[in-house]
Every structure is written in C-alpha cells, then in structure tokens.
C-alpha cells in the first residue's frame, strides 16, 4: 500500500510537472497583437469621410459661379472704361486738328482775298495795256473764286464750333472716366445694369458730339436754339420710398428752388444770348461767301469802259476779308456752342432735381451744384430762401388783387 501511494504521488507530480511546460509554451502563441490589424480601419474612415467630402465640394462651386459672374461684369465695365479712355484721346486729337483747320483756312482765305484785291487794283490802273490787264484779271478772278469756295466751306462746317464740340466731349468723357474708376474701386459687386448704364452714357455722348463730319455732323444753323443733351433719357422713374443717402426734406426743397431759379433766370439768359450768337453767325456765314462771290464776278468786267467793276471788286473783297476775320477769327461758332453747352447743363440740373431717384449723396450733390454755379454753400442757400420769399410775396400780392 505504501508503495502504491508512493507511485501515485510520483505520477501526480510527474503529470503536474509535464503540464507546466505545456502551459509555458502555449502562452506566446496567443494572438494578442495579430487581432488588431484585422479591423477594417481604412474602410471605416473612407465610409465616414466620403459624404462629408461631397458636401464640402458643393459649396465652393456656387461661390465660384457667383465670383465668376462678378468677375465677368467687372471685366465688361473695365472694357467700357478702356473705350472711354480711347475716346478721350480721339476727341482731343481731332479737336486740335480742327482748331488748326480754323487757323489755316482763315489765314489762307484772307491771303487769297487780299492778293486778289491787289491784282484787281493793278488791273484797274493799267486798263490800257490789254495783255497785262487780261493776265492780272484772270489771276484775280481765279483767286476770288477759290476764296469764295473756301469761305463757303468754312461757313458750312464752322471749324471753331467743331473744335468747341470736341473740347466739351473730351471734358465729359474725362468725367465719365473718373466716375467709372471710382465705381470700380468702391464696389465689389458689379451688376449687368451698371454695365448697361455706362454703355448708355457712352452712346449718348457719341450722339451728342459725333466725330465724323459727313452724315452725322451737328446742324450748325438750327431753326431755333436748343440746349445740348449728352445724357441718356430717364424713361423709368422709381416711386419714392423715403429720403435717404444724405437727403432731407429741407435739402430737396432747397435744390428744387435752386433749379427753379436757374431755369427762370440763368437758362433764359443763356438761351437769349445763344439766339443772338446764332443769328450773328448765320449773317456772317452768308455775308462772307456772298461778298467774295460778287468780287469774283466784278473782276471779270475789269478793263471795260467803266472803272466801276474794279471798285466793286476791291470793295467787296476787302469787306469779305473783314467778315471772315470777324466770324472765324472771333470764333462766333465757338461762342454759340458754349452757350448751347451751358444751357444743356441747366437742363440736366433741372431734370436731375425732378427725378425721383437720388443716386448721389445729398450733401455731395449740393456741394457740386454750388461749385458749378460759382457760389458757396451759404450763397446757394440764401438764393433758395430769397427765391422762396419772393414767390410768397408774389402769391400774397396776387391774392390781394383778386
């Protein structure tokens, strides 16, 4: 029995000793770190990020479209600005050219006329020498006929008036250029309406001050005096939605009163002076070529029995030189155009004040009007108050009479 227990004890100890190394060996074989890489981490990140990626990309597309549209409108307005700058240079160059026309044609016509006068006098003195008289007579007739043609051409196109038109066009295009540049600097968003408005202003200036002479030249001798118009017609008038942008009831009433005073006083005065300049220019434009033509016809009869032809030729040619100098040297056409442009400014002022849409700041507009009228702000306000007071007194006087 004792031996049997000893054998059982030995067997149990041996079995326990055998099981221990098995446990020790099997421990490092446990997949403790191999389980983690099998988790689909990348697929989970992709499945989570895909919807957010598509959502983020959908917003910049609309932003890019809006920015692209704004960039296109800005580019269009910049193209209009480039054309305005080109027109400034064209009008300036053509204005200088037409000013040279006026000087050169006037000097040429006067030199031709005075030379023909001298020849006609020589032919009248030497009436007995038939050969010499005929040669001088023919030369004077040719010169006077040429002078008649040049005088008629100058009276038709009025180079001094053409020059003033180009000066006004250059000045107005420069103003439009400054306004467009300021608009591009101050506004980030530019609409299609802004581009259309700029194009309308350019086309209105082209129509008011055309560059070509044939076909589109302005009428130099209209039936009646009309102010110049270089702005687009405002066909649409938005209803009033309240005063804003620096405007108030007092300022609007003041500007309307100033426009009324300017229309009844300054505009009528400039219209009267413009009609005087128009009539004087028409009279001189007709007299110059007529006198030169009479002189040319009279020079044909020099050397006949009577010396009256020579006297008429010399007198009329001398008067023609004086008339041409007064008309083109005095630049009567330029004076007429100056009055026409000034009357146009008063018409623009009245139309702007009667418009219901106020785009410009009220205080800025008041300052601009005061400077253009040659008055300070206090003088402009006093002018409005005095006009309003005179109207009140006139109404009271009328009420007493009736």
């Amino acid at each position: 029995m004792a031996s049997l227990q000893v054998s059982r004890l030995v067997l149990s100890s041996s079995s326990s000793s055998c099981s221990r190394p098995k446990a020790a060996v099997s421990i490092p074989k446990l997949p403790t770190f191999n389980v983690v890489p099998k988790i689909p981490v990348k697929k989970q990140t992709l499945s989570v990020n895909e919807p957010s990626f598509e959502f983020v990309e959908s917003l910049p597309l609309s932003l890019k479209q809006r920015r692209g549209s704004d960039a296109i409108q800005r580019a269009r307005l910049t193209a209009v600005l480039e054309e305005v700058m080109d027109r400034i240079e064209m009008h300036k160059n053509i204005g200088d050219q037409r000013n040279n026309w006026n000087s050169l044609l006037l000097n040429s016509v006067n030199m031709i006329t005075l030379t023909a006068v001298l020849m006609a006098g020589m032919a009248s003195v030497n009436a007995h020498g038939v050969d010499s008289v005929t040669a001088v007579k023919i030369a004077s007739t040719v010169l006077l006929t040429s002078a008649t043609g040049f005088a008629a051409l100058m009276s038709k196109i009025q180079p001094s008036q053409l020059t003033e038109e180009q000066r006004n066009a250059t000045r107005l295009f420069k103003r439009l250029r400054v306004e467009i540049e300021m608009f591009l600097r101050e506004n980030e968003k530019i609409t299609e309406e802004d581009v259309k408005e700029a194009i309308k202003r350019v086309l209105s200036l082209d129509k008011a001050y055309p560059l070509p002479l044939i076909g589109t030249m302005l009428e130099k001798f209209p039936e009646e005096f009309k102010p110049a118009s270089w702005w687009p017609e405002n066909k649409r008038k938005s209803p009033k939605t309240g005063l804003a942008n620096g405007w108030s009831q007092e300022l609007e009433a003041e500007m309307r009163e100033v426009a009324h005073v300017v229309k009844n006083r300054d505009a009528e005065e400039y219209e009267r002076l413009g009609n005087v300049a128009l009539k004087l220019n028409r009279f001189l434009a007709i007299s110059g070529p007529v006198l030169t033509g009479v002189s040319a016809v009279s020079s044909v009869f020099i050397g006949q029995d009577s010396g009256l032809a020579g006297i008429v030729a010399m007198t009329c040619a001398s008067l023609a030189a004086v008339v041409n100098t007064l008309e083109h040297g005095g630049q009567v056409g330029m004076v007429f155009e100056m009055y026409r442009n000034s009357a146009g400014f008063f018409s623009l002022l009245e139309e702007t004040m009667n418009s219901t849409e106020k785009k410009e700041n009220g205080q800025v507009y008041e300052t601009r009007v005061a400077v253009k009228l040659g008055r300070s702000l206090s003088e402009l306000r006093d002018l409005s108050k005095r006009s309003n007071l005179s109207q009140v007194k006139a109404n009271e006087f009328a009420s007493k009479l009736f």
Side-chain angles (χ1 to χ4, degrees), residues 349-395:
L349 177 63
E350 181 184 3
E351 183 176 334
T352 305
M353 289 311 307
N354 291 332
S355 176
T356 58
E357 186 178 3
K358 302 294 189 299
K359 294 183 178 180
E360 191 173 10
N361 184 273
Q363 297 179 357
V364 175
Y365 183 79
E366 182 186 19
T367 305
R368 190 189 303 277
V369 171
V371 173
K372 285 185 177 181
L373 295 178
R375 292 179 173 89
S376 63
L377 291 176
S378 59
E379 292 175 348
L380 189 69
R381 292 163 186 166
D382 292 339
L383 177 65
S384 175
K385 292 178 181 178
R386 281 182 291 168
S387 175
N388 192 11
L389 183 60
S390 63
Q391 285 186 2
V392 171
K393 290 182 179 180
N395 293 332

Side-chain angles (χ1 to χ4, degrees), residues 64-93:
K64 286 179 180 178
Q65 289 176 356
R66 290 199 296 270
R67 290 176 181 175
S69 177
D70 294 340
I72 290 174
Q73 301 303 330
R74 181 175 291 273
R76 292 177 63 190
L77 191 58
T78 305
V80 175
L81 177 61
E82 292 175 356
E83 292 300 321
V84 169
M85 296 171 65
D86 184 62
R87 278 171 169 78
I88 291 173
E89 191 66 24
M90 284 194 299
H91 282 283
K92 182 179 180 301
N93 295 336

Side-chain angles (χ1 to χ4, degrees), residues 26-45:
S26 61
I27 289 174
K29 291 182 180 181
L30 293 175
T32 56
F33 58 93
N34 292 330
V35 178
V36 177
K38 292 182 180 180
I39 299 175
V41 179
K42 293 183 180 181
K43 292 182 179 180
Q44 290 180 355
T45 54

Side-chain angles (χ1 to χ4, degrees), residues 106-179:
L106 176 61
N107 294 333
S108 300
V109 169
N110 285 340
M111 289 295 296
I112 292 171
T113 304
L114 295 177
T115 303
V117 168
L118 180 61
M119 289 184 175
M122 293 172 58
S124 299
V125 172
N126 299 323
H128 298 289
V130 179
D131 295 335
S132 59
V133 169
T134 303
V136 176
K137 183 173 63 175
I138 292 174
S140 64
T141 303
V142 170
L143 289 175
L144 288 171
T145 304
S146 302
T148 303
F150 283 121
L153 177 64
M154 292 185 69
S155 298
K156 176 65 177 178
I157 66 175
Q158 293 291 315
S160 63
Q161 186 173 346
L162 290 174
T163 303
E164 184 64 18
E165 290 175 6
Q166 303 311 311
R167 292 195 190 103
N168 292 330
T170 303
R171 177 174 54 84
L172 293 172
F173 269 115
K174 284 182 178 180
R175 181 185 300 174
L176 180 59
R177 171 189 174 182
V178 172
E179 292 178 2

Side-chain angles (χ1 to χ4, degrees), residues 33 42 55 89 122 161 191 217 224 248 250:
F33 58 93
K42 293 183 180 181
F55 177 72
E89 191 66 24
M122 293 172 58
Q161 186 173 346
T191 63
M217 184 178 66
E224 58 180 357
S248 62
E250 294 78 9

